[in-house]
Amino acid sequence: MDIAQDRRLDAADVIALLESHLEDMRAISPPESVHALNLDALRAPDIRFWTARDDAGQLMGCGALKRHDSTLGEIKSMRTHPDHRRKGVAAALLVHALSAARDDGLRTVKLETGSTQHFEPARALYAAHGFEPCGPFADYTDEPHSAYMGINL
């Protein structure tokens, strides 16, 4: 698996994966609880975005790290292509993002994910990598459809 930073987010397979991610989030969460970023938001200068590809160049997944300030980062847009689930793609992307956060001097990384059963695999992945439940951060508010997790680096 090759994980590389993508600054343009203009490849058709990346766009399709991110659009399906947004569609899924809109289908399973109330509108006020959809915090997934669109392509323009992911191109912001405070966001680093990575793709994971197999040896044949097929897109396996993606993930991003948003820098809130000099100490706080946020995991965003973690998504594994359906053909590559249960292959360790999300774990590899998460480890990569946390390493980048450390290299950038961040001290804490947090995330928002869903609180429903649909998001249990995501919460389990984050917990397995040391994330613990926390309260809302940045511009988030306490709402029943969101679960917040964080890790000190």
Side-chain angles (χ1 to χ4, degrees):
M1 178 181 335
D2 177 48
I3 298 177
Q5 189 166 345
D6 182 346
R7 292 186 186 350
R8 297 180 309 194
L9 287 89
D10 61 356
D13 56 355
V14 172
I15 292 169
L17 184 63
L18 290 168
E19 286 177 351
S20 73
H21 177 58
L22 281 170
E23 288 173 17
D24 284 352
M25 296 305 100
R26 290 179 184 133
I28 60 176
S29 300
E32 67 277 6
S33 299
V34 176
H35 302 291
L37 300 178
N38 65 28
L39 283 167
D40 288 336
L42 286 167
R43 291 182 180 120
D46 60 346
I47 294 182
R48 294 175 66 187
F49 181 86
W50 297 277
T51 58
R53 294 185 179 276
D54 65 16
D55 293 338
Q58 294 295 313
L59 181 64
M60 299 176 78
C62 63
L65 177 69
K66 178 177 181 168
R67 184 182 192 104
H68 284 281
D69 58 35
S70 64
T71 63
L72 175 63
E74 178 185 0
I75 299 296
K76 297 294 293 181
S77 300
M78 291 287 292
R79 184 68 170 193
T80 301
H81 189 283
D83 293 345
H84 296 285
R85 292 196 177 131
R86 305 282 182 236
K87 295 180 181 178
V89 176
L93 283 160
L94 182 60
V95 167
H96 189 88
L98 291 174
S99 178
R102 283 185 196 91
D103 290 348
D104 288 349
L106 299 178
R107 290 190 223 138
T108 305
V109 174
K110 295 186 178 185
L111 60 89
E112 180 277 337
T113 189
S115 62
T116 62
Q117 184 174 353
H118 176 84
F119 296 94
E120 176 56 34
R123 292 191 307 272
L125 168 74
Y126 298 131
H129 287 272
F131 282 79
E132 297 180 347
C134 67
F137 61 96
D139 295 331
Y140 294 105
T141 59
D142 194 14
E143 51 121 338
H145 296 282
S146 288
Y148 305 98
M149 302 178 82
I151 187 172
N152 292 322
L153 302 177

